[in-house]
Amino acid sequence: MNTTIDKKEIDFFSKLSDQWWNLQGLYSPLHKLADVRIKFILRNLERKKNNLDLSPLKNISCIDLGCGGGILSERLARMGGNITAIDASKESIQVAKNHAKTSGLKVNYIHTSSSDFLKKNKNKKFDLVIASEIIEHVNDRDKFLSDISSLSKKGSIIIITTINSSFISIFFSKFMAENVLKILPQGTHDIKKFVSPNALAEEAKKYSIFFDDVVGFQPQFSINSLLNKQIESFKLTNYPIVNYGLAGLKLS
């Protein structure tokens, strides 16, 4: 298998592309998750810069893999980064381009996969490589990790956020989120693609990626948010039981 693209996954998200920037819609949890994802990214950018300022990504080249409608990409662009963002869904990329234009933001959105991007940009490498909420949707995780490594310089920061394969994670992220609370569309996740942080870290070593920072993203609920079948917010936690982030370096 020579591609990370899962056509069924791409078709699923393409059909929902008009929902990316509806703050109360199907992607509301991703908008709320963006806050803690940014905190995690900034925490690891301290490796590159001693003093964070209002433009902490200034002079940093970043690629956002599986960017969807641009929820995270726009936040990164607002922090001064030179952002390239790719997605295999043509519809999602068009939504992202339109929203960035409306917002007055410069993001290099490209409709492509990581493998195809590498074929056309063999020598292109980034200071910061982010794969957020995408590795649980790819067809070949090993190939995707290889692509991430190929996109990284020696010393680049690599950040992955995804879903644990624990029983608790499957219960909340699949059963509760899709079937009971219905805060995610049915069919969003395939539990066979969930992976634990320890397993993912081991798999990444094969490609000279060494993760040394792990954090959990814990959803917060209020009575009002439960009544409205929404997540109130997320907070960083030391327990990566459900949603988690891994960060580390490309060492060679």
Side-chain angles (χ1 to χ4, degrees), residues 2-251:
N2 198 31
T3 179
T4 60
I5 293 176
D6 186 324
K7 188 175 184 302
K8 188 174 101 174
E9 297 269 10
I10 300 305
D11 289 345
F12 178 86
F13 288 102
S14 292
K15 290 175 183 177
L16 298 172
S17 59
D18 62 338
Q19 289 290 310
W20 279 111
W21 288 96
N22 179 356
L23 299 184
Q24 304 303 320
L26 298 174
Y27 291 119
S28 173
L30 274 184
H31 284 275
K32 291 166 182 174
L33 183 58
D35 290 337
V36 288
R37 288 188 289 178
I38 289 295
K39 286 181 181 179
F40 186 54
I41 291 166
L42 289 177
R43 183 165 100 182
N44 279 277
L45 275 173
E46 291 179 355
R47 305 173 193 232
K48 291 281 187 186
K49 299 178 71 175
N50 292 325
N51 297 303
L52 293 180
D53 54 28
L54 294 177
S55 299
L57 268 67
K58 186 177 180 181
N59 298 323
I60 290 178
S61 62
C62 169
I63 187 165
D64 183 9
L65 303 174
C67 64
I71 293 172
L72 190 61
S73 304
E74 286 202 5
R75 298 283 291 269
L76 297 168
R78 290 182 189 280
M79 292 188 292
N82 178 13
I83 311 300
T84 296
I86 70 172
D87 199 281
S89 168
K90 183 178 180 180
E91 291 81 359
S92 293
I93 284 293
Q94 192 56 55
V95 168
K97 285 182 176 181
N98 292 341
H99 197 273
K101 184 177 181 180
T102 302
S103 302
L105 293 171
K106 185 178 179 181
V107 180
N108 181 26
Y109 285 115
I110 305 172
H111 169 223
T112 189
S113 67
S114 56
S115 299
D116 287 342
F117 181 88
L118 281 165
K119 288 176 185 176
K120 296 178 182 178
N121 302 273
K122 292 182 180 179
N123 298 317
K124 184 72 172 175
K125 296 183 184 295
F126 297 85
D127 302 311
L128 173 63
V129 178
I130 298 173
S132 188
E133 314 310 312
I134 186 61
I135 205 165
E136 69 270 23
H137 297 293
V138 301
N139 201 34
D140 185 337
R141 189 166 67 235
D142 188 71
K143 178 69 172 67
F144 190 61
L145 287 170
S146 173
D147 289 350
I148 289 174
S149 180
S150 297
L151 288 165
S152 308
K153 307 173 184 178
K154 181 179 180 181
S156 291
I157 296 171
I158 298 169
I159 293 176
I160 296 177
T161 71
T162 187
I163 303 173
N164 205 328
S165 57
S166 66
F167 172 79
I168 293 174
S169 177
I170 292 169
F171 177 75
F172 282 106
S173 297
K174 182 68 179 178
F175 179 70
M176 289 295 292
E178 293 186 23
N179 301 310
V180 179
L181 295 175
K182 297 184 178 179
I183 57 178
L184 293 175
Q186 283 193 336
T188 297
H189 293 122
D190 178 352
I191 61 174
K192 296 190 296 293
K193 294 182 177 181
F194 291 178
V195 59
S196 72
N198 287 340
L200 188 55
E202 281 300 314
E203 291 172 5
K205 288 178 182 178
K206 178 180 176 182
Y207 300 104
S208 298
I209 301 170
F210 290 84
F211 290 116
D212 58 3
D213 190 12
V214 60
V215 71
F217 304 131
Q218 183 177 313
Q220 303 293 292
F221 295 93
S222 64
I223 293 175
N224 187 57
S225 68
L226 285 172
L227 289 174
N228 289 298
K229 295 184 177 180
Q230 292 184 342
I231 294 172
E232 182 77 17
S233 62
F234 285 85
K235 74 173 184 177
L236 297 180
T237 173
N238 291 326
Y239 305 101
I241 298 172
V242 184
N243 295 79
Y244 68 90
L246 276 179
L249 301 173
K250 168 78 177 294
L251 294 188

